[in-house]
Amino acid sequence: MEDYESDNGRMLFAGVYASDIAEEFGTPVYVTDEKKLRENYRRIHGVFAKEMDTVVNYACKANSNLAILRILEEEGSHIDAVSVGEVESCLKAGFTADRILYTGVNVSNEELKAVSELDVMINIDSESELERLAEINPGHKISIRINPGVGSGHSDAVITGKRGTKFGIPSERAIDVYARANDLGFDIRGIHAHIGSGGSDIYPFMDAAEILSELTNEIKDIGVDLEFIDIGGGFGVPYKMNEDPMSLEELAIEVTDIIKMQTDVETLYIEPGRYIVADTTVLLTKCVNIKDLGTKKFVGVDAGMNNLVRPAMYGSHHHVAIADKFGKACTAKYDVVGPICETGDYLAHDRVLPNPAEGDIVVVYTAGAYGFSMSSNYNMRPQCREVLVNDGKAELIRDVQPMEDLWKHQIVPERLRK
Ligand code: LLP
């Protein structure tokens, strides 16, 4: 991973001083570089499309801000959505229903009805879901999610393709389920597997492509021709300074070779979330409190696990720096901790930093994927602002949440009112 440029010790984010953005919009604030977002989309689409006709379904769970969705809609992306809320957000952002694939897990009849009425293709996760959809909307366009028994991911909590997880239909049941879907009269378009998130090794993706290719041929033998093979998302990105990116080119060549050599399917679907948005965005937070316990030093900041839960939830590493102390000598090791009343509320452990002081702007890197989208109102803290930088100009794309929002849907029974 490469560091940002700086000018006289001041970090530049997409040509703008990071601390100026913090000053103008307040902290904590997520800041996204539009140019980088467009480049990431074009790179991943280009690398795969060079080998085979490829549809990129951006996994919008990673970041579903409407401005981000608008940019990706302009770029020609399609969508992987996991809820009616995501489907509706993408429709609102201008995606047409035929550019959205819905992949839910433990889907209720209400959700199946809502999604199918929006005319969005449904990626079936279980045999029960298939039977229930046949009652609700027979003949709907579908794909089927297979659990290939191959997993990958940065943490056990995000490995989905292994046996024993709640996702998909085990590969040994696949042929029966496709036959059943055919008997039920569904419009069957594809086959899907998502093995997990944030893996950097290309072999599990190749194994999954092998399994999906073999199944595609067996499915053809029972009279169902598939239009696409969907290998899911999960392509890892570097979070540490000395980490190299995974070789997307190699991955694209290997996976498409397997599919082209073994099947006559012409279209590949991929579902990157993290790859497209992770490194487009930083979280800017202000140091509000320095605490030195002798044995331990803390940089207390105004962003916590309510804003970015990944370090607390998965032990994830996010690089941190001080915006206006670039290139300054590091003085000691610190934990960067937030305002949430939990010991586990940290953004970074044991980081050497250049003499942090109250008022400094701390930059949390690679925060664009599963950053804002997993944020919460824990401790009754409003969700923070989001800003988009383009052509040297910073624009607000989400305002800070008013406290009123946090109370709006709560009801105090009449008898308890004061
Ligand atoms: N497709 C499906 C069916 C998925 O479930 C996911 C992610 C993706 C695509 C996109 O995966 P990506 O390319 O972003 O790795 N909150 C965790 C990640 C959870 C991923 C859930 N599913 C984190 O912060 O690392």
Side-chain angles (χ1 to χ4, degrees), residues 59 61-62 80 103 145 154 158 192 194 196-198 232-235 271-275 310 314 370 374:
K61 57 180 85 64
D80 158 45
T103 301
R145 179 175 189 167
H154 65 76
V158 298
H192 167 277
H194 171 73
S197 186
F235 318 122
E271 300 176 343
R274 189 187 312 273
Y275 185 89
R310 303 190 70 254
Y314 312 114
Y370 309 104
M374 291 180 81

PDB file of all heavy atoms in Angstrom, residues 59 61-62 80 103 145 154 158 192 194 196-198 232-235 271-275 310 314 370 374, ligand 1:
ATOM      1  N   ALA A  59     -20.740  -4.903  -4.670  1.00  0.00           N
ATOM      2  CA  ALA A  59     -21.411  -5.349  -3.440  1.00  0.00           C
ATOM      3  C   ALA A  59     -21.642  -4.121  -2.564  1.00  0.00           C
ATOM      4  O   ALA A  59     -20.752  -3.693  -1.811  1.00  0.00           O
ATOM      5  CB  ALA A  59     -20.554  -6.390  -2.717  1.00  0.00           C
ATOM      6  N   LYS A  61     -23.121  -3.449   0.065  1.00  0.00           N
ATOM      7  CA  LYS A  61     -23.072  -3.508   1.522  1.00  0.00           C
ATOM      8  C   LYS A  61     -21.785  -2.847   2.027  1.00  0.00           C
ATOM      9  O   LYS A  61     -21.730  -2.375   3.152  1.00  0.00           O
ATOM     10  CB  LYS A  61     -23.158  -4.960   2.021  1.00  0.00           C
ATOM     11  CG  LYS A  61     -22.066  -5.856   1.450  1.00  0.00           C
ATOM     12  CD  LYS A  61     -22.182  -7.280   1.960  1.00  0.00           C
ATOM     13  CE  LYS A  61     -23.140  -8.137   1.168  1.00  0.00           C
ATOM     14  NZ  LYS A  61     -22.771  -8.376  -0.262  1.00  0.00           N
ATOM     15  N   ALA A  62     -20.763  -2.801   1.174  1.00  0.00           N
ATOM     16  CA  ALA A  62     -19.483  -2.221   1.587  1.00  0.00           C
ATOM     17  C   ALA A  62     -19.609  -0.711   1.813  1.00  0.00           C
ATOM     18  O   ALA A  62     -18.958  -0.155   2.712  1.00  0.00           O
ATOM     19  CB  ALA A  62     -18.407  -2.503   0.545  1.00  0.00           C
ATOM     20  N   ASP A  80     -24.646  -6.029  -6.461  1.00  0.00           N
ATOM     21  CA  ASP A  80     -24.987  -7.163  -5.598  1.00  0.00           C
ATOM     22  C   ASP A  80     -25.654  -6.551  -4.369  1.00  0.00           C
ATOM     23  O   ASP A  80     -25.036  -5.756  -3.657  1.00  0.00           O
ATOM     24  CB  ASP A  80     -23.711  -7.924  -5.204  1.00  0.00           C
ATOM     25  CG  ASP A  80     -23.888  -8.748  -3.932  1.00  0.00           C
ATOM     26  OD1 ASP A  80     -24.912  -9.434  -3.813  1.00  0.00           O
ATOM     27  OD2 ASP A  80     -23.003  -8.697  -3.058  1.00  0.00           O
ATOM     28  N   THR A 103     -28.951 -11.182  -3.423  1.00  0.00           N
ATOM     29  CA  THR A 103     -28.466 -12.401  -2.775  1.00  0.00           C
ATOM     30  C   THR A 103     -28.728 -12.289  -1.287  1.00  0.00           C
ATOM     31  O   THR A 103     -27.921 -11.723  -0.551  1.00  0.00           O
ATOM     32  CB  THR A 103     -26.955 -12.587  -3.028  1.00  0.00           C
ATOM     33  OG1 THR A 103     -26.727 -12.657  -4.428  1.00  0.00           O
ATOM     34  CG2 THR A 103     -26.423 -13.851  -2.379  1.00  0.00           C
ATOM     35  N   ARG A 145     -27.237 -19.950  -5.320  1.00  0.00           N
ATOM     36  CA  ARG A 145     -25.980 -19.823  -4.575  1.00  0.00           C
ATOM     37  C   ARG A 145     -25.554 -21.181  -4.029  1.00  0.00           C
ATOM     38  O   ARG A 145     -26.284 -21.823  -3.274  1.00  0.00           O
ATOM     39  CB  ARG A 145     -26.154 -18.847  -3.410  1.00  0.00           C
ATOM     40  CG  ARG A 145     -24.881 -18.711  -2.593  1.00  0.00           C
ATOM     41  CD  ARG A 145     -24.993 -17.657  -1.522  1.00  0.00           C
ATOM     42  NE  ARG A 145     -23.697 -17.419  -0.904  1.00  0.00           N
ATOM     43  CZ  ARG A 145     -23.417 -16.399  -0.125  1.00  0.00           C
ATOM     44  NH1 ARG A 145     -24.340 -15.504   0.160  1.00  0.00           N
ATOM     45  NH2 ARG A 145     -22.221 -16.271   0.401  1.00  0.00           N
ATOM     46  N   HIS A 154     -10.321 -12.688   5.650  1.00  0.00           N
ATOM     47  CA  HIS A 154      -9.348 -12.115   6.585  1.00  0.00           C
ATOM     48  C   HIS A 154      -9.627 -12.546   8.018  1.00  0.00           C
ATOM     49  O   HIS A 154      -8.804 -12.345   8.907  1.00  0.00           O
ATOM     50  CB  HIS A 154      -9.343 -10.587   6.482  1.00  0.00           C
ATOM     51  CG  HIS A 154     -10.644  -9.933   6.910  1.00  0.00           C
ATOM     52  ND1 HIS A 154     -11.009  -9.800   8.219  1.00  0.00           N
ATOM     53  CD2 HIS A 154     -11.659  -9.395   6.199  1.00  0.00           C
ATOM     54  CE1 HIS A 154     -12.186  -9.195   8.292  1.00  0.00           C
ATOM     55  NE2 HIS A 154     -12.604  -8.948   7.072  1.00  0.00           N
ATOM     56  N   VAL A 158     -15.852 -13.895   8.451  1.00  0.00           N
ATOM     57  CA  VAL A 158     -16.261 -13.478   7.097  1.00  0.00           C
ATOM     58  C   VAL A 158     -15.974 -14.539   6.034  1.00  0.00           C
ATOM     59  O   VAL A 158     -16.019 -14.267   4.844  1.00  0.00           O
ATOM     60  CB  VAL A 158     -15.609 -12.126   6.697  1.00  0.00           C
ATOM     61  CG1 VAL A 158     -16.055 -11.012   7.635  1.00  0.00           C
ATOM     62  CG2 VAL A 158     -14.091 -12.212   6.642  1.00  0.00           C
ATOM     63  N   HIS A 192     -23.849 -19.362  -8.616  1.00  0.00           N
ATOM     64  CA  HIS A 192     -23.093 -18.392  -7.819  1.00  0.00           C
ATOM     65  C   HIS A 192     -22.418 -19.058  -6.627  1.00  0.00           C
ATOM     66  O   HIS A 192     -22.934 -20.027  -6.057  1.00  0.00           O
ATOM     67  CB  HIS A 192     -24.087 -17.329  -7.322  1.00  0.00           C
ATOM     68  CG  HIS A 192     -23.563 -16.412  -6.243  1.00  0.00           C
ATOM     69  ND1 HIS A 192     -23.553 -16.764  -4.908  1.00  0.00           N
ATOM     70  CD2 HIS A 192     -23.051 -15.165  -6.301  1.00  0.00           C
ATOM     71  CE1 HIS A 192     -23.057 -15.760  -4.193  1.00  0.00           C
ATOM     72  NE2 HIS A 192     -22.742 -14.783  -5.014  1.00  0.00           N
ATOM     73  N   HIS A 194     -19.938 -17.353  -3.232  1.00  0.00           N
ATOM     74  CA  HIS A 194     -19.096 -16.295  -2.647  1.00  0.00           C
ATOM     75  C   HIS A 194     -18.348 -16.965  -1.499  1.00  0.00           C
ATOM     76  O   HIS A 194     -18.971 -17.425  -0.545  1.00  0.00           O
ATOM     77  CB  HIS A 194     -19.963 -15.138  -2.151  1.00  0.00           C
ATOM     78  CG  HIS A 194     -19.193 -14.137  -1.346  1.00  0.00           C
ATOM     79  ND1 HIS A 194     -18.306 -13.253  -1.925  1.00  0.00           N
ATOM     80  CD2 HIS A 194     -19.157 -13.896  -0.008  1.00  0.00           C
ATOM     81  CE1 HIS A 194     -17.764 -12.503  -0.969  1.00  0.00           C
ATOM     82  NE2 HIS A 194     -18.256 -12.874   0.188  1.00  0.00           N
ATOM     83  N   GLY A 196     -15.961 -15.819   0.605  1.00  0.00           N
ATOM     84  CA  GLY A 196     -15.595 -15.069   1.805  1.00  0.00           C
ATOM     85  C   GLY A 196     -15.029 -13.720   1.422  1.00  0.00           C
ATOM     86  O   GLY A 196     -14.995 -13.380   0.243  1.00  0.00           O
ATOM     87  N   SER A 197     -14.571 -12.983   2.423  1.00  0.00           N
ATOM     88  CA  SER A 197     -14.206 -11.589   2.168  1.00  0.00           C
ATOM     89  C   SER A 197     -12.783 -11.276   2.641  1.00  0.00           C
ATOM     90  O   SER A 197     -12.404 -11.627   3.751  1.00  0.00           O
ATOM     91  CB  SER A 197     -15.197 -10.694   2.907  1.00  0.00           C
ATOM     92  OG  SER A 197     -14.993  -9.362   2.590  1.00  0.00           O
ATOM     93  N   GLY A 198     -12.038 -10.610   1.778  1.00  0.00           N
ATOM     94  CA  GLY A 198     -10.730 -10.116   2.190  1.00  0.00           C
ATOM     95  C   GLY A 198      -9.610 -11.136   2.105  1.00  0.00           C
ATOM     96  O   GLY A 198      -8.545 -10.946   2.700  1.00  0.00           O
ATOM     97  N   GLY A 232     -18.620 -14.440  -7.101  1.00  0.00           N
ATOM     98  CA  GLY A 232     -18.729 -13.646  -5.880  1.00  0.00           C
ATOM     99  C   GLY A 232     -17.661 -12.564  -5.802  1.00  0.00           C
ATOM    100  O   GLY A 232     -17.020 -12.206  -6.795  1.00  0.00           O
ATOM    101  N   GLY A 233     -17.496 -12.043  -4.584  1.00  0.00           N
ATOM    102  CA  GLY A 233     -16.483 -10.998  -4.364  1.00  0.00           C
ATOM    103  C   GLY A 233     -15.430 -11.543  -3.422  1.00  0.00           C
ATOM    104  O   GLY A 233     -15.146 -12.737  -3.430  1.00  0.00           O
ATOM    105  N   GLY A 234     -14.877 -10.635  -2.616  1.00  0.00           N
ATOM    106  CA  GLY A 234     -13.947 -11.092  -1.594  1.00  0.00           C
ATOM    107  C   GLY A 234     -12.482 -10.838  -1.891  1.00  0.00           C
ATOM    108  O   GLY A 234     -11.614 -11.331  -1.163  1.00  0.00           O
ATOM    109  N   PHE A 235     -12.206 -10.074  -2.962  1.00  0.00           N
ATOM    110  CA  PHE A 235     -10.809  -9.841  -3.334  1.00  0.00           C
ATOM    111  C   PHE A 235     -10.165  -8.879  -2.325  1.00  0.00           C
ATOM    112  O   PHE A 235     -10.636  -7.757  -2.145  1.00  0.00           O
ATOM    113  CB  PHE A 235     -10.731  -9.279  -4.761  1.00  0.00           C
ATOM    114  CG  PHE A 235     -11.677  -9.978  -5.706  1.00  0.00           C
ATOM    115  CD1 PHE A 235     -12.637  -9.286  -6.404  1.00  0.00           C
ATOM    116  CD2 PHE A 235     -11.619 -11.374  -5.841  1.00  0.00           C
ATOM    117  CE1 PHE A 235     -13.541  -9.946  -7.233  1.00  0.00           C
ATOM    118  CE2 PHE A 235     -12.515 -12.049  -6.663  1.00  0.00           C
ATOM    119  CZ  PHE A 235     -13.477 -11.329  -7.362  1.00  0.00           C
ATOM    120  N   GLU A 271     -18.355  -9.905  -7.825  1.00  0.00           N
ATOM    121  CA  GLU A 271     -19.084  -9.052  -6.880  1.00  0.00           C
ATOM    122  C   GLU A 271     -18.142  -8.354  -5.895  1.00  0.00           C
ATOM    123  O   GLU A 271     -18.236  -8.564  -4.685  1.00  0.00           O
ATOM    124  CB  GLU A 271     -20.077  -9.901  -6.079  1.00  0.00           C
ATOM    125  CG  GLU A 271     -21.096 -10.609  -6.933  1.00  0.00           C
ATOM    126  CD  GLU A 271     -22.015 -11.537  -6.141  1.00  0.00           C
ATOM    127  OE1 GLU A 271     -21.661 -11.881  -4.990  1.00  0.00           O
ATOM    128  OE2 GLU A 271     -23.044 -11.908  -6.679  1.00  0.00           O
ATOM    129  N   PRO A 272     -17.237  -7.538  -6.386  1.00  0.00           N
ATOM    130  CA  PRO A 272     -16.321  -6.879  -5.458  1.00  0.00           C
ATOM    131  C   PRO A 272     -16.996  -5.741  -4.689  1.00  0.00           C
ATOM    132  O   PRO A 272     -17.739  -4.950  -5.273  1.00  0.00           O
ATOM    133  CB  PRO A 272     -15.245  -6.307  -6.390  1.00  0.00           C
ATOM    134  CG  PRO A 272     -15.944  -6.098  -7.692  1.00  0.00           C
ATOM    135  CD  PRO A 272     -17.011  -7.159  -7.780  1.00  0.00           C
ATOM    136  N   GLY A 273     -16.770  -5.707  -3.390  1.00  0.00           N
ATOM    137  CA  GLY A 273     -17.203  -4.571  -2.582  1.00  0.00           C
ATOM    138  C   GLY A 273     -15.948  -3.843  -2.137  1.00  0.00           C
ATOM    139  O   GLY A 273     -15.593  -2.773  -2.635  1.00  0.00           O
ATOM    140  N   ARG A 274     -15.213  -4.511  -1.241  1.00  0.00           N
ATOM    141  CA  ARG A 274     -13.995  -3.939  -0.666  1.00  0.00           C
ATOM    142  C   ARG A 274     -13.027  -3.406  -1.732  1.00  0.00           C
ATOM    143  O   ARG A 274     -12.491  -2.307  -1.608  1.00  0.00           O
ATOM    144  CB  ARG A 274     -13.292  -5.036   0.148  1.00  0.00           C
ATOM    145  CG  ARG A 274     -12.126  -4.562   0.990  1.00  0.00           C
ATOM    146  CD  ARG A 274     -11.410  -5.765   1.621  1.00  0.00           C
ATOM    147  NE  ARG A 274     -12.321  -6.698   2.235  1.00  0.00           N
ATOM    148  CZ  ARG A 274     -12.750  -6.603   3.498  1.00  0.00           C
ATOM    149  NH1 ARG A 274     -12.307  -5.655   4.276  1.00  0.00           N
ATOM    150  NH2 ARG A 274     -13.596  -7.494   3.987  1.00  0.00           N
ATOM    151  N   TYR A 275     -12.797  -4.196  -2.776  1.00  0.00           N
ATOM    152  CA  TYR A 275     -11.798  -3.808  -3.768  1.00  0.00           C
ATOM    153  C   TYR A 275     -12.126  -2.441  -4.374  1.00  0.00           C
ATOM    154  O   TYR A 275     -11.227  -1.651  -4.653  1.00  0.00           O
ATOM    155  CB  TYR A 275     -11.700  -4.861  -4.893  1.00  0.00           C
ATOM    156  CG  TYR A 275     -10.583  -4.525  -5.845  1.00  0.00           C
ATOM    157  CD1 TYR A 275      -9.293  -4.987  -5.615  1.00  0.00           C
ATOM    158  CD2 TYR A 275     -10.802  -3.680  -6.935  1.00  0.00           C
ATOM    159  CE1 TYR A 275      -8.252  -4.632  -6.446  1.00  0.00           C
ATOM    160  CE2 TYR A 275      -9.770  -3.316  -7.772  1.00  0.00           C
ATOM    161  CZ  TYR A 275      -8.493  -3.797  -7.522  1.00  0.00           C
ATOM    162  OH  TYR A 275      -7.462  -3.425  -8.337  1.00  0.00           O
ATOM    163  N   ARG A 310     -14.619  -2.221  12.583  1.00  0.00           N
ATOM    164  CA  ARG A 310     -13.777  -3.338  12.120  1.00  0.00           C
ATOM    165  C   ARG A 310     -12.658  -3.717  13.104  1.00  0.00           C
ATOM    166  O   ARG A 310     -12.456  -4.908  13.374  1.00  0.00           O
ATOM    167  CB  ARG A 310     -13.208  -3.048  10.724  1.00  0.00           C
ATOM    168  CG  ARG A 310     -14.296  -2.777   9.672  1.00  0.00           C
ATOM    169  CD  ARG A 310     -13.765  -2.736   8.251  1.00  0.00           C
ATOM    170  NE  ARG A 310     -13.371  -4.061   7.819  1.00  0.00           N
ATOM    171  CZ  ARG A 310     -12.137  -4.467   7.703  1.00  0.00           C
ATOM    172  NH1 ARG A 310     -11.138  -3.652   7.965  1.00  0.00           N
ATOM    173  NH2 ARG A 310     -11.871  -5.698   7.330  1.00  0.00           N
ATOM    174  N   TYR A 314     -13.338  -7.417  14.331  1.00  0.00           N
ATOM    175  CA  TYR A 314     -12.530  -8.495  13.722  1.00  0.00           C
ATOM    176  C   TYR A 314     -11.049  -8.412  14.104  1.00  0.00           C
ATOM    177  O   TYR A 314     -10.248  -9.200  13.604  1.00  0.00           O
ATOM    178  CB  TYR A 314     -12.575  -8.407  12.186  1.00  0.00           C
ATOM    179  CG  TYR A 314     -13.939  -8.246  11.568  1.00  0.00           C
ATOM    180  CD1 TYR A 314     -14.275  -7.070  10.900  1.00  0.00           C
ATOM    181  CD2 TYR A 314     -14.880  -9.276  11.612  1.00  0.00           C
ATOM    182  CE1 TYR A 314     -15.514  -6.914  10.294  1.00  0.00           C
ATOM    183  CE2 TYR A 314     -16.116  -9.121  11.017  1.00  0.00           C
ATOM    184  CZ  TYR A 314     -16.436  -7.947  10.357  1.00  0.00           C
ATOM    185  OH  TYR A 314     -17.648  -7.789   9.762  1.00  0.00           O
ATOM    186  N   TYR A 370     -17.056  -1.169   4.475  1.00  0.00           N
ATOM    187  CA  TYR A 370     -17.566  -1.629   5.759  1.00  0.00           C
ATOM    188  C   TYR A 370     -17.163  -0.669   6.888  1.00  0.00           C
ATOM    189  O   TYR A 370     -16.956  -1.075   8.020  1.00  0.00           O
ATOM    190  CB  TYR A 370     -17.099  -3.061   6.051  1.00  0.00           C
ATOM    191  CG  TYR A 370     -17.398  -3.992   4.895  1.00  0.00           C
ATOM    192  CD1 TYR A 370     -16.382  -4.419   4.028  1.00  0.00           C
ATOM    193  CD2 TYR A 370     -18.696  -4.395   4.629  1.00  0.00           C
ATOM    194  CE1 TYR A 370     -16.663  -5.233   2.933  1.00  0.00           C
ATOM    195  CE2 TYR A 370     -18.978  -5.210   3.538  1.00  0.00           C
ATOM    196  CZ  TYR A 370     -17.964  -5.629   2.699  1.00  0.00           C
ATOM    197  OH  TYR A 370     -18.236  -6.424   1.623  1.00  0.00           O
ATOM    198  N   MET A 374     -21.195   0.023   8.401  1.00  0.00           N
ATOM    199  CA  MET A 374     -21.396  -0.767   9.622  1.00  0.00           C
ATOM    200  C   MET A 374     -21.481   0.121  10.861  1.00  0.00           C
ATOM    201  O   MET A 374     -21.442  -0.374  11.987  1.00  0.00           O
ATOM    202  CB  MET A 374     -20.257  -1.785   9.790  1.00  0.00           C
ATOM    203  CG  MET A 374     -20.286  -2.892   8.747  1.00  0.00           C
ATOM    204  SD  MET A 374     -18.936  -4.068   8.976  1.00  0.00           S
ATOM    205  CE  MET A 374     -19.586  -5.112  10.287  1.00  0.00           C
TER     206      MET A 374
HETATM  207  N1  LLP B   1     -20.926 -11.076  -2.560  1.00  0.00           N
HETATM  208  C1  LLP B   1     -21.532 -11.593  -1.466  1.00  0.00           C
HETATM  209  C2  LLP B   1     -22.588 -12.590  -1.634  1.00  0.00           C
HETATM  210  C3  LLP B   1     -21.118 -11.182  -0.186  1.00  0.00           C
HETATM  211  O1  LLP B   1     -21.705 -11.695   0.884  1.00  0.00           O
HETATM  212  C4  LLP B   1     -20.097 -10.208  -0.054  1.00  0.00           C
HETATM  213  C5  LLP B   1     -19.642  -9.766   1.259  1.00  0.00           C
HETATM  214  C6  LLP B   1     -19.517  -9.690  -1.230  1.00  0.00           C
HETATM  215  C7  LLP B   1     -19.958 -10.148  -2.456  1.00  0.00           C
HETATM  216  C8  LLP B   1     -18.445  -8.656  -1.205  1.00  0.00           C
HETATM  217  O2  LLP B   1     -17.278  -9.050  -0.559  1.00  0.00           O
HETATM  218  P1  LLP B   1     -15.984  -8.084  -0.637  1.00  0.00           P
HETATM  219  O3  LLP B   1     -15.558  -7.995  -2.086  1.00  0.00           O
HETATM  220  O4  LLP B   1     -16.373  -6.741  -0.129  1.00  0.00           O
HETATM  221  O5  LLP B   1     -14.978  -8.723   0.225  1.00  0.00           O
HETATM  222  N2  LLP B   1     -17.838  -6.626   7.256  1.00  0.00           N
HETATM  223  C9  LLP B   1     -16.704  -7.427   6.826  1.00  0.00           C
HETATM  224  C10 LLP B   1     -16.910  -7.982   5.444  1.00  0.00           C
HETATM  225  C11 LLP B   1     -18.192  -8.771   5.283  1.00  0.00           C
HETATM  226  C12 LLP B   1     -18.461  -9.195   3.864  1.00  0.00           C
HETATM  227  C13 LLP B   1     -19.836  -9.718   3.697  1.00  0.00           C
HETATM  228  N3  LLP B   1     -20.132 -10.175   2.369  1.00  0.00           N
HETATM  229  C14 LLP B   1     -15.437  -6.579   6.928  1.00  0.00           C
HETATM  230  O6  LLP B   1     -15.506  -5.438   7.377  1.00  0.00           O
HETATM  231  O7  LLP B   1     -14.353  -7.040   6.588  1.00  0.00           O
END
